[in-house]
Amino acid sequence: MNWHRSLCIAAAAMAGLAGTTLSTGPASADFATKIDPAITLGSGAFPCAGYVRALYDPARESHGRQVVWLRADFGYRLAQVRVCAAEAILSWRNIDTGEAGSSMQPLPLHDGRTRGRTDAMWVPFDLGRHPGHYQVLVGTDLPHVNGSGEITVPR
């Protein structure tokens, strides 16, 4: 398969993912906020594509800090593709204080459909240190469609 055809297939798969209904898994309370997912190509073996889900739950801290939890899942891959990953990026801005920041870390794209897994690992991404209203943007270091949302970090 040539490179151009592979890219067209992956782009079509990404477009098909845009309407996918996503579940975020268990949340600790009704206060959890879902953030629109990012849709991304993956690297390591081409073609593969997936989405990065995001969830904010004020009751689920990491090391005493408020975080947004991210996880990535395959949406499309050829049968012979075994490795697929992306560097996930969470950018945020506290609307109340003006504080802004971002963090990036590797996030493997899992395929729970073929390995019997129903819950890939959720990875914590730090937010700012102050309570308030936050705008968040979820992306990757590869071609992607951003996910976004607004959350409120309690005092």
Side-chain angles (χ1 to χ4, degrees):
M1 183 180 297
N2 69 37
W3 183 85
H4 178 70
R5 179 170 156 73
S6 296
L7 186 58
C8 289
I9 290 171
M14 285 177 64
L17 290 174
T20 303
T21 301
L22 303 175
S23 65
T24 58
S28 61
D30 289 337
F31 301 110
T33 303
K34 290 187 244 180
I35 299 163
D36 293 335
I39 302 169
T40 187
L41 289 178
S43 67
F46 189 77
C48 65
Y51 44 93
V52 178
R53 299 179 190 189
L55 174 71
Y56 171 70
D57 184 347
R60 290 181 65 193
E61 296 179 345
S62 177
H63 302 289
R65 295 208 46 188
Q66 290 291 309
V67 296
V68 172
W69 296 88
L70 300 181
R71 90 178 210 187
D73 290 300
F74 276 123
Y76 170 79
R77 71 179 176 101
L78 294 177
Q80 66 270 23
V81 172
R82 299 213 186 278
V83 177
C84 187
E87 293 276 329
I89 302 166
L90 177 73
S91 300
W92 53 266
R93 184 173 73 87
N94 185 322
I95 299 167
D96 299 331
T97 66
E99 179 186 20
S102 66
S103 58
M104 180 166 76
Q105 57 184 308
L107 202 58
L109 296 169
H110 295 287
D111 187 4
R113 298 167 302 171
T114 60
R115 290 184 285 194
R117 292 179 57 174
T118 57
D119 194 23
M121 182 185 337
W122 289 92
V123 178
F125 282 69
D126 287 342
L127 285 170
R129 297 191 177 272
H130 304 287
H133 296 87
Y134 282 78
Q135 291 177 326
V136 295
L137 193 65
V138 179
T140 70
D141 63 333
L142 299 168
H144 67 277
V145 176
N146 285 327
S148 63
E150 290 192 13
I151 60 174
T152 300
V153 173
R155 298 193 185 276

Short mmCIF file of all heavy atoms in Angstrom, two decimals, residues 120-153:
data_model
loop_
_atom_site.label_atom_id
_atom_site.label_comp_id
_atom_site.label_asym_id
_atom_site.label_seq_id
_atom_site.Cartn_x
_atom_site.Cartn_y
_atom_site.Cartn_z
N ALA A 120 -8.51 1.11 29.33
CA ALA A 120 -7.09 1.45 29.22
C ALA A 120 -6.71 2.31 30.42
O ALA A 120 -7.57 2.82 31.13
CB ALA A 120 -6.83 2.19 27.91
N MET A 121 -5.43 2.49 30.63
CA MET A 121 -4.94 3.24 31.78
C MET A 121 -5.24 4.74 31.64
O MET A 121 -4.99 5.34 30.61
CB MET A 121 -3.43 3.06 31.92
CG MET A 121 -2.87 3.78 33.12
SD MET A 121 -1.07 3.78 33.33
CE MET A 121 -0.51 2.40 32.43
N TRP A 122 -5.80 5.33 32.69
CA TRP A 122 -6.00 6.77 32.77
C TRP A 122 -4.73 7.38 33.33
O TRP A 122 -4.20 6.91 34.34
CB TRP A 122 -7.19 7.11 33.68
CG TRP A 122 -8.51 6.75 33.07
CD1 TRP A 122 -9.19 5.57 33.22
CD2 TRP A 122 -9.32 7.57 32.22
NE1 TRP A 122 -10.36 5.62 32.52
CE2 TRP A 122 -10.47 6.83 31.90
CE3 TRP A 122 -9.17 8.85 31.71
CZ2 TRP A 122 -11.48 7.34 31.09
CZ3 TRP A 122 -10.17 9.36 30.90
CH2 TRP A 122 -11.31 8.62 30.59
N VAL A 123 -4.22 8.43 32.70
CA VAL A 123 -2.97 9.07 33.08
C VAL A 123 -3.26 10.49 33.57
O VAL A 123 -3.96 11.25 32.89
CB VAL A 123 -1.99 9.10 31.88
CG1 VAL A 123 -0.69 9.80 32.25
CG2 VAL A 123 -1.73 7.69 31.37
N PRO A 124 -2.74 10.89 34.75
CA PRO A 124 -3.01 12.23 35.26
C PRO A 124 -2.13 13.30 34.60
O PRO A 124 -0.94 13.11 34.42
CB PRO A 124 -2.67 12.12 36.75
CG PRO A 124 -1.63 11.04 36.81
CD PRO A 124 -1.96 10.08 35.70
N PHE A 125 -2.75 14.42 34.24
CA PHE A 125 -2.06 15.60 33.71
C PHE A 125 -2.38 16.75 34.65
O PHE A 125 -3.55 17.07 34.88
CB PHE A 125 -2.54 15.93 32.29
CG PHE A 125 -1.95 15.07 31.23
CD1 PHE A 125 -2.28 13.72 31.11
CD2 PHE A 125 -1.04 15.60 30.32
CE1 PHE A 125 -1.74 12.92 30.12
CE2 PHE A 125 -0.49 14.81 29.32
CZ PHE A 125 -0.84 13.47 29.21
N ASP A 126 -1.34 17.40 35.20
CA ASP A 126 -1.52 18.46 36.19
C ASP A 126 -2.20 19.69 35.62
O ASP A 126 -1.98 20.08 34.47
CB ASP A 126 -0.16 18.90 36.75
CG ASP A 126 0.44 17.87 37.69
OD1 ASP A 126 -0.30 16.99 38.17
OD2 ASP A 126 1.65 17.93 37.93
N LEU A 127 -3.01 20.32 36.47
CA LEU A 127 -3.60 21.63 36.21
C LEU A 127 -2.83 22.65 37.03
O LEU A 127 -1.92 22.31 37.78
CB LEU A 127 -5.07 21.65 36.64
CG LEU A 127 -6.05 20.93 35.74
CD1 LEU A 127 -7.41 20.84 36.42
CD2 LEU A 127 -6.18 21.66 34.42
N GLY A 128 -3.24 23.91 36.93
CA GLY A 128 -2.63 24.96 37.74
C GLY A 128 -2.91 24.74 39.22
O GLY A 128 -3.68 23.87 39.61
N ARG A 129 -2.30 25.54 40.05
CA ARG A 129 -2.40 25.36 41.50
C ARG A 129 -3.55 26.13 42.13
O ARG A 129 -3.76 26.07 43.33
CB ARG A 129 -1.10 25.78 42.15
CG ARG A 129 0.06 24.92 41.71
CD ARG A 129 1.27 25.17 42.59
NE ARG A 129 2.37 24.30 42.21
CZ ARG A 129 2.56 23.09 42.71
NH1 ARG A 129 1.72 22.60 43.58
NH2 ARG A 129 3.58 22.36 42.33
N HIS A 130 -4.32 26.87 41.34
CA HIS A 130 -5.37 27.72 41.90
C HIS A 130 -6.75 27.24 41.49
O HIS A 130 -6.93 26.74 40.38
CB HIS A 130 -5.18 29.17 41.44
CG HIS A 130 -3.83 29.71 41.79
ND1 HIS A 130 -3.48 30.05 43.08
CD2 HIS A 130 -2.74 29.94 41.04
CE1 HIS A 130 -2.23 30.48 43.09
NE2 HIS A 130 -1.75 30.42 41.87
N PRO A 131 -7.74 27.40 42.37
CA PRO A 131 -9.11 27.08 41.99
C PRO A 131 -9.60 28.08 40.94
O PRO A 131 -9.00 29.14 40.75
CB PRO A 131 -9.89 27.23 43.30
CG PRO A 131 -9.03 28.03 44.19
CD PRO A 131 -7.63 27.87 43.73
N GLY A 132 -10.68 27.73 40.27
CA GLY A 132 -11.27 28.64 39.30
C GLY A 132 -11.80 27.92 38.08
O GLY A 132 -11.88 26.70 38.04
N HIS A 133 -12.15 28.72 37.09
CA HIS A 133 -12.67 28.20 35.83
C HIS A 133 -11.51 28.03 34.86
O HIS A 133 -10.74 28.97 34.64
CB HIS A 133 -13.71 29.15 35.25
CG HIS A 133 -14.92 29.28 36.11
ND1 HIS A 133 -15.00 30.18 37.14
CD2 HIS A 133 -16.09 28.60 36.10
CE1 HIS A 133 -16.17 30.06 37.73
NE2 HIS A 133 -16.84 29.11 37.13
N TYR A 134 -11.40 26.84 34.28
CA TYR A 134 -10.31 26.52 33.37
C TYR A 134 -10.83 26.18 31.98
O TYR A 134 -11.85 25.49 31.84
CB TYR A 134 -9.52 25.29 33.86
CG TYR A 134 -8.57 25.57 34.98
CD1 TYR A 134 -9.01 25.73 36.29
CD2 TYR A 134 -7.21 25.66 34.74
CE1 TYR A 134 -8.13 25.97 37.32
CE2 TYR A 134 -6.31 25.90 35.78
CZ TYR A 134 -6.78 26.05 37.05
OH TYR A 134 -5.90 26.29 38.08
N GLN A 135 -10.14 26.68 30.98
CA GLN A 135 -10.33 26.21 29.61
C GLN A 135 -9.22 25.21 29.37
O GLN A 135 -8.05 25.48 29.69
CB GLN A 135 -10.19 27.35 28.61
CG GLN A 135 -11.30 28.35 28.68
CD GLN A 135 -11.07 29.50 27.71
OE1 GLN A 135 -9.95 29.91 27.46
NE2 GLN A 135 -12.16 30.02 27.17
N VAL A 136 -9.57 24.03 28.83
CA VAL A 136 -8.56 23.00 28.56
C VAL A 136 -8.63 22.59 27.10
O VAL A 136 -9.69 22.62 26.47
CB VAL A 136 -8.72 21.77 29.47
CG1 VAL A 136 -8.46 22.12 30.92
CG2 VAL A 136 -10.08 21.14 29.33
N LEU A 137 -7.46 22.23 26.57
CA LEU A 137 -7.32 21.79 25.18
C LEU A 137 -6.52 20.50 25.20
O LEU A 137 -5.45 20.44 25.84
CB LEU A 137 -6.58 22.87 24.39
CG LEU A 137 -6.60 22.76 22.88
CD1 LEU A 137 -8.02 22.94 22.35
CD2 LEU A 137 -5.71 23.84 22.28
N VAL A 138 -7.03 19.46 24.56
CA VAL A 138 -6.37 18.16 24.48
C VAL A 138 -5.89 17.95 23.06
O VAL A 138 -6.65 18.14 22.11
CB VAL A 138 -7.34 17.03 24.87
CG1 VAL A 138 -6.66 15.67 24.76
CG2 VAL A 138 -7.90 17.25 26.27
N GLY A 139 -4.62 17.58 22.90
CA GLY A 139 -4.07 17.33 21.57
C GLY A 139 -2.95 16.32 21.64
O GLY A 139 -2.71 15.70 22.68
N THR A 140 -2.24 16.16 20.54
CA THR A 140 -1.07 15.28 20.49
C THR A 140 0.00 15.95 19.64
O THR A 140 -0.22 16.99 19.04
CB THR A 140 -1.40 13.90 19.88
OG1 THR A 140 -1.65 14.04 18.49
CG2 THR A 140 -2.57 13.24 20.58
N ASP A 141 1.17 15.29 19.58
CA ASP A 141 2.27 15.81 18.77
C ASP A 141 2.17 15.36 17.31
O ASP A 141 3.05 15.65 16.52
CB ASP A 141 3.61 15.36 19.37
CG ASP A 141 3.77 13.86 19.36
OD1 ASP A 141 2.75 13.14 19.39
OD2 ASP A 141 4.92 13.38 19.34
N LEU A 142 1.11 14.66 16.95
CA LEU A 142 0.89 14.17 15.60
C LEU A 142 -0.33 14.86 15.00
O LEU A 142 -1.06 15.55 15.71
CB LEU A 142 0.69 12.65 15.63
CG LEU A 142 1.89 11.88 16.18
CD1 LEU A 142 1.51 10.43 16.45
CD2 LEU A 142 3.07 11.96 15.22
N PRO A 143 -0.59 14.69 13.69
CA PRO A 143 -1.80 15.31 13.13
C PRO A 143 -3.03 14.87 13.94
O PRO A 143 -3.22 13.68 14.22
CB PRO A 143 -1.84 14.75 11.70
CG PRO A 143 -0.40 14.49 11.37
CD PRO A 143 0.21 14.01 12.67
N HIS A 144 -3.84 15.86 14.34
CA HIS A 144 -4.97 15.58 15.21
C HIS A 144 -6.03 16.65 15.09
O HIS A 144 -5.79 17.71 14.52
CB HIS A 144 -4.51 15.47 16.67
CG HIS A 144 -4.01 16.77 17.22
ND1 HIS A 144 -2.72 17.21 17.01
CD2 HIS A 144 -4.63 17.72 17.97
CE1 HIS A 144 -2.57 18.39 17.61
NE2 HIS A 144 -3.72 18.72 18.19
N VAL A 145 -7.19 16.35 15.63
CA VAL A 145 -8.27 17.32 15.82
C VAL A 145 -8.36 17.52 17.34
O VAL A 145 -8.55 16.56 18.08
CB VAL A 145 -9.61 16.79 15.27
CG1 VAL A 145 -10.74 17.77 15.57
CG2 VAL A 145 -9.50 16.50 13.79
N ASN A 146 -8.19 18.75 17.80
CA ASN A 146 -8.19 19.04 19.24
C ASN A 146 -9.49 18.68 19.91
O ASN A 146 -10.56 18.80 19.32
CB ASN A 146 -7.94 20.53 19.50
CG ASN A 146 -6.50 20.91 19.30
OD1 ASN A 146 -5.59 20.14 19.54
ND2 ASN A 146 -6.29 22.14 18.84
N GLY A 147 -9.40 18.26 21.17
CA GLY A 147 -10.54 18.15 22.05
C GLY A 147 -10.48 19.34 23.00
O GLY A 147 -9.40 19.88 23.26
N SER A 148 -11.62 19.77 23.51
CA SER A 148 -11.60 20.94 24.39
C SER A 148 -12.77 20.89 25.36
O SER A 148 -13.71 20.11 25.19
CB SER A 148 -11.66 22.23 23.58
OG SER A 148 -12.88 22.30 22.86
N GLY A 149 -12.70 21.73 26.36
CA GLY A 149 -13.77 21.84 27.33
C GLY A 149 -13.46 22.89 28.38
O GLY A 149 -12.39 23.50 28.37
N GLU A 150 -14.43 23.11 29.25
CA GLU A 150 -14.26 24.01 30.39
C GLU A 150 -14.59 23.25 31.65
O GLU A 150 -15.53 22.46 31.68
CB GLU A 150 -15.15 25.23 30.24
CG GLU A 150 -14.69 26.17 29.15
CD GLU A 150 -15.39 27.52 29.20
OE1 GLU A 150 -16.04 27.84 30.21
OE2 GLU A 150 -15.26 28.23 28.21
N ILE A 151 -13.80 23.47 32.69
CA ILE A 151 -14.00 22.81 33.97
C ILE A 151 -13.91 23.84 35.08
O ILE A 151 -13.37 24.93 34.89
CB ILE A 151 -12.96 21.68 34.20
CG1 ILE A 151 -11.55 22.25 34.20
CG2 ILE A 151 -13.11 20.59 33.17
CD1 ILE A 151 -10.48 21.24 34.56
N THR A 152 -14.44 23.48 36.23
CA THR A 152 -14.34 24.34 37.41
C THR A 152 -13.62 23.57 38.50
O THR A 152 -14.07 22.49 38.92
CB THR A 152 -15.74 24.76 37.90
OG1 THR A 152 -16.40 25.47 36.85
CG2 THR A 152 -15.64 25.64 39.13
N VAL A 153 -12.50 24.12 38.95
CA VAL A 153 -11.73 23.52 40.04
C VAL A 153 -12.22 24.18 41.33
O VAL A 153 -12.15 25.40 41.47
CB VAL A 153 -10.22 23.75 39.84
CG1 VAL A 153 -9.43 23.27 41.05
CG2 VAL A 153 -9.74 23.05 38.58
#
